[in-house]
Amino acid sequence: MANTRNIAFIGAGNMPQSIIGGMVRGGYPASAIYASNPSRPKLDTLAQKHGIHTSQDNLEVVKQADVIVLSVKPQLMADVCAHLREHVSDLADKLVITIAAGIRIEKYHQYLGDNVRIVRVMPNTPSLVGEGVSGLAADPQVTQDDKDFVTEVFDYVGKTIWVKDEDGIDVLGAVAGSGPAYFFEFMAGLQQVAEELGFSSEDARAMVQQTALGAAQMASQSDLSLVELRKQVTSKGGSTAKGIEAYQAAGLDDISARAVKAAVARNQEMAKLF
Ligand SMILES: NC(=O)c1ccc[n+]([C@@H]2O[C@H](COP(=O)([O-])OP(=O)(O)OC[C@H]3O[C@@H](n4cnc5c(N)ncnc54)[C@H](OP(=O)(O)O)[C@@H]3O)[C@@H](O)[C@H]2O)c1
């Protein structure tokens, strides 16, 4: 573990619950983790399951923290930050991490002050099962030590990728953030055809799901490129080659490019809402 800092999550919804769970399982001391939320039930679960500190008062946990993780819905962010700015005099001494979608770092400086160190993180939904990808972007005031700390926190729920500017967050969001939906769409198509060709829904789903998992595991254990891996399982003149030919004829790569570019454009549009 790089270093332990007191870390406070503002908002105790699904994503922070997963991050906290990953941190505690990974050996981060529960006594250094705080969470606040307006209603009690999620806090009680977190306290019982992981032994962290909880409060219904954001200011109470922020007072104890070296690091604040803003984990409320984007539409609540301005109000939550205004409240912190009004009541917390030493915000500039703390590192602020935000996981809210769509709000740029520049906005947080407007909400919290120019001298506050901000890291923006875009985790994706598989973080909920410890297999996430998080894109991270920092403002120039953030130190290397801060970056190492944030990397460690999000490594607890998957892999971390630092982007060089926030446009990279829009792209990462369109690939990794939206990606699970693309894979589910593709997998649902394979399941459907397996059913049409005679398999029960249960068996069709199992074969698709396990194949996706197996392919992802093979890719993560191999140094070969994805194209090479594909070639390795495609014998010339065989049935897989015929299947791949059909995908290529339909322009699968072009479809992926169009999907990602459409999602990037939407991310850019949504950033303008804040
Ligand atoms: N889930 C994902 O896959 C994902 C992925 C990327 C980014 N994110 C971002 O992560 C953030 C949280 O998402 P989530 O899925 O965890 O949302 P969520 O499950 O809806 O949780 C939001 C939490 O914020 C609490 N809250 C409301 N007002 C608050 C306030 N004034 N102060 C403190 N807490 C307050 C809510 O409490 P009550 O229930 O008591 O109202 C709720 O527990 C969002 O900004 C989202 O954009 C999520």
Side-chain angles (χ1 to χ4, degrees):
M1 201 185 308
N3 47 25
T4 299
R5 304 190 196 182
N6 281 352
I7 181 167
F9 291 81
I10 309 299
N14 292 323
M15 189 53 80
Q17 285 175 37
S18 303
I19 299 166
I20 292 166
M23 290 175 79
V24 174
R25 277 192 298 279
Y28 199 93
S31 58
I33 304 177
Y34 297 75
S36 61
N37 200 74
S39 56
R40 265 304 333 160
K42 292 172 198 161
L43 296 177
D44 291 341
T45 307
L46 279 169
Q48 280 155 17
K49 244 169 121 175
H50 304 300
I52 68 161
H53 306 281
T54 61
S55 170
Q56 286 171 273
D57 179 355
N58 293 348
L59 297 179
E60 197 178 313
V61 299
V62 164
K63 258 191 247 151
Q64 308 297 327
D66 308 307
V67 180
I68 303 168
V69 186
L70 298 170
S71 332
V72 297
K73 291 279 181 206
Q75 56 272 26
L76 295 177
M77 195 58 84
D79 286 350
V80 166
C81 289
H83 187 234
L84 296 184
R85 189 175 192 174
E86 191 182 343
H87 296 283
V88 182
S89 56
D90 61 346
L91 267 183
D93 297 334
K94 304 178 192 285
L95 171 66
V96 175
I97 302 172
T98 170
I99 63 167
I103 307 179
R104 296 197 167 244
I105 288 174
E106 181 191 13
K107 263 288 161 204
Y108 289 97
H109 282 136
Q110 287 174 27
Y111 295 158
L112 294 169
D114 286 337
N115 53 354
V116 175
R117 283 135 57 220
I118 315 268
V119 176
R120 181 175 162 204
V121 180
M122 179 69 208
N124 71 352
T125 314
S127 305
L128 304 178
V129 294
E131 295 292 349
V133 175
S134 298
L136 305 92
D139 83 47
Q141 303 171 89
V142 170
T143 65
Q144 188 55 49
D145 198 37
D146 290 334
K147 286 185 177 179
D148 292 345
F149 178 80
V150 183
T151 304
E152 181 186 323
V153 168
F154 287 87
D155 276 348
Y156 284 119
V157 286
K159 301 216 179 305
T160 46
I161 298 177
W162 282 93
V163 297
K164 62 176 186 313
D165 57 41
E166 282 183 276
D167 291 346
I169 293 276
D170 291 337
V171 176
L172 186 138
V175 176
S178 308
Y182 308 153
F183 281 101
F184 293 146
E185 179 79 6
F186 183 67
M187 289 163 72
L190 289 179
Q191 177 182 343
Q192 191 182 324
V193 69
E195 285 179 38
E196 280 166 20
L197 297 176
F199 278 88
S200 68
S201 163
E202 200 185 21
D203 285 347
R205 177 169 170 158
M207 76 171 92
V208 170
Q209 203 168 283
Q210 187 60 23
T211 304
L213 189 64
Q217 289 278 13
M218 282 178 73
S220 67
Q221 287 170 22
S222 172
D223 292 330
L224 294 175
S225 72
L226 295 175
V227 171
E228 275 306 318
L229 280 169
R230 202 272 293 151
K231 283 184 182 158
Q232 274 195 354
V233 291
T234 314
S235 328
K236 248 195 177 128
S239 57
T240 308
K242 283 285 170 209
I244 291 288
E245 261 174 40
Y247 279 125
Q248 288 174 342
L252 187 63
D253 287 354
D254 182 52
I255 293 169
S256 297
R258 279 191 282 139
V260 168
K261 285 173 189 169
V264 170
R266 183 67 186 136
N267 284 337
Q268 289 166 344
E269 261 170 38
M270 287 195 298
K272 291 187 192 134
L273 299 177
F274 292 98

